[in-house]
Amino acid sequence: MAKITLDNLAHSYLRDPKGEDDYALKELNHVWNDGEAYALLGSSGCGKSTLLNIISGLLQPSQGRILFDDVDVTHAPTAQRNIAQVFQFPVVYDTMTVRENLAFPLKNRGADANYVSGRVQDIARMIGMEAELDRKARGLTADAKQKISLGRGMVREDVNALLFDEPLTVIDPHMKWELRTQLKSLHHEFGHTMIYVTHDQTEALTFADKVVVMYDGRVVQIGTPQELFERPAHTFVGYFIGSPGMNVFDAEIDGSTARIAGTTVDLGAPYGALRGKTQVGVRPEFVQLHAGGEGVPARVRRVEDVGRHKIIRLDVDGQTYSAIAEEGHSVPAGADRITFDPEGINVYADDWRVAPESRMGEAA
Amino acid sequence: MNKTVNQKAWFLVLPVLVLVSFSAIIPLMTVVNYSVQDTFGNNEFFWAGLEWFKEMLEDERMWNALQRQMFFSAVILAIEVPLGIFVALNMPKKGFWASFCLVLMSLPLLIPWNVVGTIWQIFGRLDIGLLGYTLDAIGIDYNYTQDAVDAWVTIIVMDVWHWTSLVALLAYAGLQSIPDAYYQAAKIDQASRWKVFRYIELPKMSGVLTIAILLRFMDSFKIYTEPFVVTGGGPGNATTLLSIDLVKMALGQFDLGPAAAFSIMYFLVILVVSWVFYTVMTNLDKRDAK
């Protein structure tokens, strides 16, 4: 187990990168604390797999260093890094039995036979495949194969880190829950440093202590699920996390008020002079509907009942936004105004969050 | 599932059936016809029953040819399959050199059989052949027209030169279909090069290798032109393979009856061996899957 430090790390797939756009992974400094579970969240092509492959040593970064604890492993081959990785598609050795598959990483490292068989038994119990231990891996379902891959990743006790590259993509939904829960309990049990790449926010939020959100080759926010929900550091985080995502209104900011669609809205705190494109972000959970009175004029387009709550699709100044009405609350008849809960308001300049002046010092 | 049953579909198969019967079934039946009759020319035929078959089965000549044929196929399979895999493993995976190698590997496959035979026939000659002359010059006693072992070495090397590419190309296709994640996982599992080959590459190639072995077996078992052009079956009968012997009997001696019986048995041997081989290989596959 190890602390992993990324020092000035960047990667480009081009031989001779010119501008920032040529980098699949933009310059990054980050420390993955020993024993924490991280989720690396982002849409496809945002550089998260690139980052993971650099950590596992399958890819050499164009610049910067990687340290495991305090040892520079930037140019160390994968085998020397002592990490385990589980891939998106199940990788099993077809001609081997399940038992041989699980024992493979240990045997290759010359582990003692008694230890190997005990360890394989433990892992098989964990992934629930004790009954299938002597079956050939070929011909098993994708679920079972991916469980073997997970098991092979966890069979070594001394790994520096466990990396997961969207490992549950091919798994049935009900199995996803089970495996994710298992992973989480394994993490509690053994305290491995885990990095879990996914584009599924539910997966990221339920699995990880800290979620690292990536966008366009850049890490835009690192935080607990709650921080990502309440204070998205970038409009992408607001949009990507939450269902539906955060509403982002173009606004003119003036001190502690904003003008949205011709209406003045109180921001609850003063903001300094802002440069660039200014926007106000409000999650649908913090949007209230009223009939008449104060607020930004809005037209209700449709109401989607998703069971636990209702999602109201709104039209403000030609743009579509959403609000959420909790179970039991109904949409007021003739609703044509929206107001925002002050604690749910975030202000953005050029897509990055700006902290209010009275609360300076908070991470922007 | 509810399948539509429509007997009219047979009409769609009819053209193929007609073509195949003219190109394969009817000629085969004429061979069957010859094999059970005796003729002294003048288009007069006498019923001979299974006599020719009996005669051929008791004839050492056919057994010897069969032995040589088995030996030939075994040797070229034992060389071409491992060598083809080895070449495929060492070919570049992508880029200019990958295409270059593919073209280079395909070249021998594009050359007609009799040309291949002629190339090697000349290549091995002591007076003007590059190979024969050079070997002779450096003091190696080589003469494929006089020495049986030299003749065998020549036709085997020729076949290896001509056909290893096919195995290599098929194996290469099998290798290319292995996702990168397998190699990455192997690195992480600290698998040795041999284990990567044994547990990843070989299992993933097994399908195409089955085809390669089957094709090479069938082709080598009925090989005619190349060795015939090079050695003519000699020296003596040393390289007289089944097909060469068959042609000698049918067209040289004009023994139509025995030759027809011979060719039917020859055909059956290829059919049975291929079928056994194919069934065994696919059953192994199925057993593994259980």
Side-chain angles (χ1 to χ4, degrees), chain B residues 92-108:
Chain B
K93 294 267 180 286
K94 53 187 161 200
F96 169 79
W97 290 107
S99 323
F100 179 81
C101 285
L102 284 176
V103 173
L104 198 69
M105 301 294 292
S106 315
L107 281 180

Side-chain angles (χ1 to χ4, degrees), chain B residues 20-37 260 264 267:
Chain B
V20 169
S21 51
F22 272 98
S23 68
I25 299 173
I26 293 175
L28 186 68
M29 286 307 120
T30 63
V31 176
V32 172
N33 191 33
Y34 281 128
S35 74
V36 291
Q37 296 188 79
I264 285 172
F267 171 65

Side-chain angles (χ1 to χ4, degrees), chain A residues 299-336:
Chain A
R299 191 168 60 80
V300 175
R301 275 200 177 155
R302 61 177 190 274
V303 177
E304 294 163 12
D305 197 335
V306 291
R308 222 154 18 88
H309 53 245
K310 292 187 185 72
I311 298 170
I312 302 132
R313 302 289 182 187
L314 302 161
D315 185 337
V316 177
D317 216 12
Q319 306 277 353
T320 305
Y321 296 97
S322 336
I324 286 181
E326 289 304 319
E327 196 179 21
H329 291 68
S330 58
V331 183
D336 58 356

Side-chain angles (χ1 to χ4, degrees), chain A residues 92-97 100-101 104 108 136 138, chain B residues 85 89 175 178 182-183 186 191-206 209 287-288:
Chain A
V92 295
Y93 302 104
D94 277 339
T95 52
M96 294 188 198
T97 61
E100 287 164 338
N101 259 285
F104 195 59
N108 288 335
K136 282 258 197 274
R138 178 187 295 182
Chain B
I85 294 173
L89 286 173
L175 285 175
I178 302 176
Y182 278 83
Y183 292 107
S192 59
R193 181 71 191 87
W194 162 250
K195 282 184 175 169
V196 170
F197 174 71
R198 169 69 185 76
Y199 295 113
I200 297 174
E201 291 170 334
L202 199 57
K204 294 277 171 196
M205 279 192 293
S206 65
L209 283 182
R287 201 197 56 197
D288 268 3

Side-chain angles (χ1 to χ4, degrees), chain A residues 19-169:
Chain A
E20 211 179 27
D21 283 349
D22 286 349
Y23 280 89
L25 185 68
K26 281 155 190 136
E27 204 169 284
L28 172 66
N29 287 290
H30 180 55
V31 177
W32 311 84
N33 289 325
D34 187 9
E36 270 194 79
Y38 293 90
L40 207 51
L41 181 66
S43 46
S44 302
C46 71
K48 51 195 195 308
S49 292
T50 306
L51 180 54
L52 200 71
N53 287 338
I54 289 175
I55 296 174
S56 63
L58 300 170
L59 209 60
Q60 296 272 322
S62 316
Q63 68 166 69
R65 298 188 306 155
I66 312 152
L67 306 161
F68 281 13
D69 286 327
D70 292 312
V71 185
D72 187 339
V73 294
T74 315
H75 301 290
T78 304
Q80 278 176 26
R81 299 189 185 199
N82 203 15
I83 43 106
Q85 186 166 354
V86 179
F87 297 89
Q88 184 168 5
F89 296 100
V91 175
V92 295
Y93 302 104
D94 277 339
T95 52
M96 294 188 198
T97 61
V98 175
R99 186 192 302 280
E100 287 164 338
N101 259 285
L102 293 177
F104 195 59
L106 292 175
K107 280 198 176 147
N108 288 335
R109 287 170 172 81
D112 173 68
N114 283 329
Y115 169 75
V116 173
S117 66
R119 188 73 191 144
V120 165
Q121 209 65 43
D122 287 350
I123 294 290
R125 188 168 34 78
M126 255 178 238
I127 58 174
M129 291 194 72
E130 279 170 302
E132 284 108 345
L133 268 178
D134 289 310
R135 276 189 58 171
K136 282 258 197 274
R138 178 187 295 182
L140 292 173
T141 60
D143 287 4
K145 283 187 179 176
Q146 191 64 322
K147 282 204 274 183
I148 298 172
S149 308
L150 288 172
R152 239 189 23 251
M154 293 180 300
V155 76
R156 285 183 287 138
E157 288 175 286
D158 61 339
V159 288
N160 281 324
L162 265 164
L163 312 179
F164 301 95
D165 191 355
E166 309 197 21
L168 302 182
T169 313

Side-chain angles (χ1 to χ4, degrees), chain B residues 73-247:
Chain B
S73 288
V75 169
I76 68 109
L77 279 178
I79 296 175
E80 287 176 14
V81 173
L83 186 61
I85 294 173
F86 179 77
V87 170
L89 286 173
N90 288 290
M91 272 166 72
K93 294 267 180 286
K94 53 187 161 200
F96 169 79
W97 290 107
S99 323
F100 179 81
C101 285
L102 284 176
V103 173
L104 198 69
M105 301 294 292
S106 315
L107 281 180
L109 301 177
L110 300 175
I111 303 176
W113 288 266
N114 56 345
V115 177
V116 172
T118 312
I119 289 174
W120 282 82
Q121 202 262 349
I122 296 173
F123 192 45
R125 276 173 65 165
L126 292 176
D127 49 353
I128 54 166
L130 189 60
L131 176 73
Y133 186 84
T134 314
L135 287 178
D136 196 44
I138 59 174
I140 296 173
D141 186 24
Y142 169 84
N143 188 339
Y144 69 84
T145 56
Q146 307 281 316
D147 186 285
V149 175
D150 291 350
W152 268 93
V153 170
T154 310
I155 61 168
I156 284 169
V157 171
M158 172 177 66
D159 198 82
V160 167
W161 175 83
H162 195 183
W163 290 110
T164 302
S165 300
L166 179 77
V167 181
L169 290 177
L170 284 168
Y172 185 70
L175 285 175
Q176 290 288 57
S177 70
I178 302 176
D180 268 350
Y182 278 83
Y183 292 107
Q184 295 172 345
K187 271 193 206 163
I188 286 163
D189 292 340
Q190 226 172 62
S192 59
R193 181 71 191 87
W194 162 250
K195 282 184 175 169
V196 170
F197 174 71
R198 169 69 185 76
Y199 295 113
I200 297 174
E201 291 170 334
L202 199 57
K204 294 277 171 196
M205 279 192 293
S206 65
V208 284
L209 283 182
T210 308
I211 305 278
I213 294 173
L214 198 62
L215 282 177
R216 282 316 299 131
F217 169 75
M218 291 191 303
D219 256 7
S220 68
F221 206 78
K222 57 184 197 192
I223 191 167
Y224 174 73
T225 318
E226 297 151 283
F228 181 76
V229 172
V230 177
T231 66
N237 272 332
T239 56
T240 303
L241 301 174
L242 276 177
S243 58
I244 297 179
D245 206 18
L246 177 62
V247 172

